[in-house]
Amino acid sequence: MILTATTLIGVGVTGTLTDNALQRAGGEQADMAARLSDDAQVIYQSLAKADTSATGHFLAGTTTQATLRKRYDDAIDRIRRRLADAGGLTGGDVSRATNVAEIALQLPVYTGLVDRAGTLIAPAKDETADPDEARKAVGPALLGAAYLHEASSYLRTVLLPAAARLQRDETDNLRDAKSTALRTSAAHLLLLLATIAGLVLTQWSLARRTRRVLNLGLLGATVLVAVVLGATGWSLRNWPETDRRLGAIETRLIDQRKLVDAERAALTAYADTYLLLGGTSPFNWEQSLRNFRRNARCAERETTWCQTYTISIHQELIAGNNDGAVAAALPGGRFAAAFEVVDRDNTTKLEDGARQIQALAVQVPSAPSRLGLLTVALCCCAVLSAGLGFWPRIREYL
């Protein structure tokens, strides 16, 4: 009796766990993971674009300053909107909420450094200032350049890793949800089959001892457990399709991360170029060329952008034409135009990938709810029914 009751309680527990696991791996959770991953991707990309625009803003003249400042402001606005959206999708998950909160708390530190750099550099960029004022502005401008370098370093070492974790965790969450649902469902089914087999063997044993063909209490418990088995099978009817679509989403998320990494590396290459031209890069021209070619993935594909860096930036610097290199790097320049082609291509791929992930997510079948509640209720009834079946034997020992 004790063993039977324990087994039936175990069925109720595993049924509840299976219900929770199926809900977590169902359509609603897949859709949430897809949306949160898209938020993380946009946050990551926008952070890198903000870094590029901020570093270039302080090299630009009056005409292009407004363009770069608008790009920076737009990137920061996108980040804030996506953080608000991501905060509403955490669903009480502590890990998700921590990653979102880390970005939200650290973003003002970055923007504060950029604003401080702008305040210090602005007097030196004032074309209407007289020579004495211009000379006095050199010192603060150098300090502003240091603030700008610190802001870029802070974004790359604190904010970007936090955004990358947010995106990576969604892939891990989806993989864990799928494997947990598979393990708990298998354990629940095995326990159900073992419980039914145990009840049948118990009835057969009691029939031999008591010469009663049927034990109504144990028979009722067996029927109730068989109903639980049928309900579980019905709940798992869509699992093959769910598993296939979750696997496809996981693959797409991994591909999306690779695209984000490529876009981030390209933006880093552009921002490093601005730092080099502004005199705040720790690398010399040759090291900067090697770093650029690595980040721009020139070894994989020799794009026009790669060639333009060599001609319009590297060779111009060697020739002593820093102004020509700056003009090429700022919006409207040859180097900037080549980058915009790369950036548009990467952005289009990312947007297409996000749409494909969302389309797959909404097609994941939703798991039936209340399986756990039904299992617990039927198992409680089965325990009572089994107790009635064992009662004549228990009464012999009283």
Side-chain angles (χ1 to χ4, degrees):
M1 172 63 188
I2 294 175
L3 179 60
T4 301
T6 302
T7 305
L8 288 170
I9 291 171
V11 169
V13 171
T14 57
T16 302
L17 293 175
T18 299
D19 185 25
N20 292 337
L22 290 175
Q23 294 301 321
R24 184 168 176 242
E28 184 178 344
Q29 289 297 320
D31 180 62
M32 183 182 296
R35 290 171 60 191
L36 194 52
S37 176
D38 182 50
D39 284 336
Q41 170 242 302
V42 173
I43 289 169
Y44 191 90
Q45 184 184 23
S46 297
L47 282 168
K49 287 192 173 184
D51 182 37
T52 302
S53 299
T55 52
H57 175 262
F58 301 108
L59 279 175
T62 306
T63 305
T64 51
Q65 265 191 343
T67 300
L68 288 169
R69 182 68 197 193
K70 185 177 185 306
R71 290 180 184 178
Y72 169 81
D73 290 339
D74 288 347
I76 296 299
D77 286 343
R78 276 196 305 274
I79 294 166
R80 287 171 176 155
R81 286 195 302 271
R82 290 295 185 139
L83 282 173
D85 184 61
L89 294 173
T90 55
D93 187 290
V94 176
S95 176
R96 284 171 169 170
T98 300
N99 286 334
V100 173
E102 183 177 358
I103 300 170
L105 290 172
Q106 301 300 338
L107 182 63
V109 178
Y110 168 73
T111 56
L113 288 170
V114 172
D115 290 343
R116 180 59 176 161
T119 302
L120 291 168
I121 294 174
K125 304 292 289 184
D126 186 0
E127 298 175 356
T128 64
D130 61 50
D132 288 338
E133 290 178 346
R135 281 194 296 271
K136 291 178 182 178
V138 171
L142 291 174
L143 180 59
Y147 268 102
L148 182 61
H149 187 272
E150 178 62 23
S152 181
S153 176
Y154 185 83
L155 181 139
R156 299 182 193 191
T157 57
V158 177
L159 282 167
L160 283 178
R165 279 195 302 274
L166 182 61
Q167 186 176 27
R168 183 178 62 249
D169 285 354
E170 286 314 303
T171 307
D172 295 339
N173 287 338
L174 208 61
R175 185 184 301 118
D176 291 344
K178 187 173 69 167
S179 62
T180 300
L182 184 61
R183 288 197 305 270
T184 55
S185 299
H188 183 55
L189 288 171
L190 288 174
L191 188 56
L192 277 170
L193 293 173
T195 302
I196 292 173
L199 287 169
V200 171
L201 287 174
T202 300
Q203 290 176 76
W204 178 73
S205 176
L206 287 175
R208 291 185 59 191
R209 293 181 184 182
T210 62
R211 301 188 182 279
R212 292 176 57 187
V213 177
L214 292 177
N215 183 306
L216 294 179
L218 290 176
L219 179 62
T222 304
V223 171
L224 289 170
V225 176
V227 171
V228 174
L229 178 61
T232 301
W234 180 75
S235 297
L236 293 173
R237 71 192 187 283
N238 290 325
W239 176 251
E241 179 67 11
T242 299
D243 182 64
R244 185 181 71 81
R245 292 196 179 278
L246 290 177
I249 292 173
E250 181 184 336
T251 300
R252 293 285 186 182
L253 286 174
I254 293 172
D255 292 341
Q256 196 79 340
R257 277 167 49 191
K258 292 177 181 177
L259 288 173
V260 170
D261 286 342
E263 170 72 344
R264 189 270 311 157
L267 290 163
T268 296
Y270 201 171
D272 283 346
T273 302
Y274 280 141
L275 292 174
L276 173 67
L277 297 174
T280 58
S281 172
F283 305 108
N284 61 34
W285 297 338
E286 294 301 326
Q287 290 171 319
S288 295
L289 175 62
R290 287 194 295 271
N291 291 342
F292 173 84
R293 293 187 63 82
R294 183 184 68 249
N295 286 324
R297 313 286 173 90
C298 296
E300 300 173 13
R301 189 164 62 101
E302 187 70 21
T303 61
T304 302
W305 191 41
C306 294
Q307 299 165 2
T308 304
Y309 181 89
T310 304
I311 298 169
S312 300
I313 305 297
H314 185 65
Q315 292 181 2
E316 291 288 352
L317 289 175
I318 291 175
N321 186 13
N322 189 75
D323 290 343
V326 169
L330 290 173
R334 183 180 177 188
F335 179 72
F339 166 75
E340 287 172 3
V341 173
V342 174
D343 184 56
R344 277 198 303 271
D345 182 53
N346 287 338
T347 300
T348 299
K349 290 177 180 177
L350 285 168
E351 290 174 349
D352 288 345
R355 281 193 292 269
Q356 291 170 8
I357 291 170
Q358 191 63 46
L360 286 170
V362 298
Q363 293 171 10
V364 174
S366 295
S369 59
R370 303 190 182 281
L371 172 64
L373 182 62
L374 176 64
T375 300
V376 170
L378 291 177
C379 284
C380 288
C381 293
V383 170
L384 293 175
S385 183
L388 292 175
F390 279 114
W391 177 246
R393 299 289 297 171
I394 295 173
R395 191 168 52 187
E396 293 177 6
Y397 297 97
L398 296 179

